Amino acid sequence: MAELQFFTGTMDSGKSTLALQTNHNHAARGRSGRIFTTHDRTGQAQVSSRLGLTHDAIEVEADFDFWRYVVDSLTQGARIDYLVCDEAQFYTRKQIDQLAKLVDELQIDVFAFGILTDFRTALFEGSQRLVELADRMNVLQVEALCWCGKRATHNARTENGVMVTEGEVIVVGDVEEQERGPAGDANVAYEVLCRQHHRRHLTAARAKAVSLAPEPLPFG
Ligand SMILES: [Zn+2]
């Protein structure tokens, strides 16, 4: 029986690495798959992991139709046993519905990988629908760590070094690779934090500044 599986974790928990490993394992068994992503950290249509692995992928635009794509491919004689879907948090509700339909109607396995909640601590649209529909949910066991050493469970966004909890949901970037925000004037970066430090807006940089300050600052 085919399944819709959702693998989730914070940034830095190794989702893209596992997506590529999953593809490798199934391909090694002679199965035929397709890899999808959207807004990858490299800005190209490929799945790239922080460990340096990359694989070409099909870019999922907002109007991309998974059902149409697979049916057209099968009609043209292609064989598709499974789909690997990275950055699935950015997919639309409708696209997740299409993935579930492919599992049920065409017995195609779908392995979706994505972050659960955004920097405002709200569920991403794609992730919400996956939680609602997935046959199985897997929380990644590689734990990302907050600067304090605790398990990082929340994603923080900083703009010009200041943590924000409001704004457009989709701005792609890395902590290491700062890039221009939607307004074009802010340096947007992401960082994983434990819940307590997310709640207190205490990023690694701010914690460092606080530890270097002569007087403890009243935060909280
Ligand atoms: Zn912490």
Side-chain angles (χ1 to χ4, degrees):
M1 285 297 284
E3 278 192 330
L4 172 58
Q5 290 197 54
F6 182 33
F7 297 82
T8 185
T10 55
M11 297 189 312
D12 293 334
S13 60
K15 286 182 304 302
S16 295
T17 305
L18 183 61
L20 294 175
Q21 181 72 43
T22 299
N23 176 62
H24 173 82
N25 290 355
H26 286 267
R29 293 282 175 233
R31 304 185 80 206
S32 176
R34 296 288 186 278
I35 303 181
F36 299 89
T37 190
T38 186
H39 307 297
D40 183 72
R41 59 172 65 86
T42 61
Q44 296 164 21
Q46 61 176 19
V47 174
S48 63
S49 81
R50 281 188 168 69
L51 298 185
L53 306 168
T54 60
H55 197 294
D56 287 341
I58 299 158
E59 177 75 14
V60 178
E61 307 280 357
D63 60 352
F64 183 82
D65 187 327
F66 282 99
W67 177 262
R68 189 80 268 147
Y69 173 87
V70 170
V71 168
D72 285 352
S73 299
L74 296 177
T75 303
Q76 289 161 24
R79 183 182 142 199
I80 299 178
D81 301 313
Y82 66 92
L83 306 182
V84 169
C85 299
D86 200 21
E87 307 286 0
Q89 72 272 10
F90 295 135
Y91 299 3
T92 64
R93 179 186 175 88
K94 201 170 157 190
Q95 286 168 336
I96 303 299
D97 286 352
Q98 292 159 5
L99 292 174
K101 188 176 171 188
L102 287 168
V103 173
D104 295 341
E105 307 291 331
L106 299 177
Q107 293 296 308
I108 290 172
D109 279 313
V110 174
F111 307 101
F113 300 82
I115 298 170
L116 206 52
T117 55
D118 62 28
F119 67 99
R120 308 165 308 173
T121 69
L123 285 166
F124 280 101
E125 179 179 342
S127 302
Q128 181 183 345
R129 197 58 180 149
L130 278 162
V131 169
E132 291 164 350
L133 294 183
D135 295 298
R136 260 198 286 174
M137 246 186 88
N138 309 275
V139 178
L140 295 204
Q141 296 303 308
V142 176
E143 296 186 341
L145 299 178
C146 178
W147 57 265
C148 71
K150 277 177 72 177
R151 193 158 76 93
T153 49
H154 287 68
N155 299 297
R157 177 192 288 179
T158 58
E159 288 178 15
N160 299 323
V162 178
M163 185 174 151
V164 296
T165 54
E166 287 176 11
E168 293 294 319
V169 171
I170 299 180
V171 180
V172 182
D174 266 348
V175 175
E176 305 84 30
E177 299 168 33
Q178 302 211 337
E179 63 179 53
R180 309 297 272 178
D185 53 5
N187 274 315
V188 175
Y190 290 90
E191 174 175 348
V192 288
L193 297 173
C194 67
R195 187 188 59 233
Q196 184 189 38
H197 288 139
H198 190 280
R199 190 165 48 77
R200 291 181 172 183
H201 292 202
L202 203 52
T203 59
R206 184 155 170 250
K208 195 176 173 192
V210 167
S211 74
L212 294 174
E215 296 284 330
L217 297 176
F219 46 74

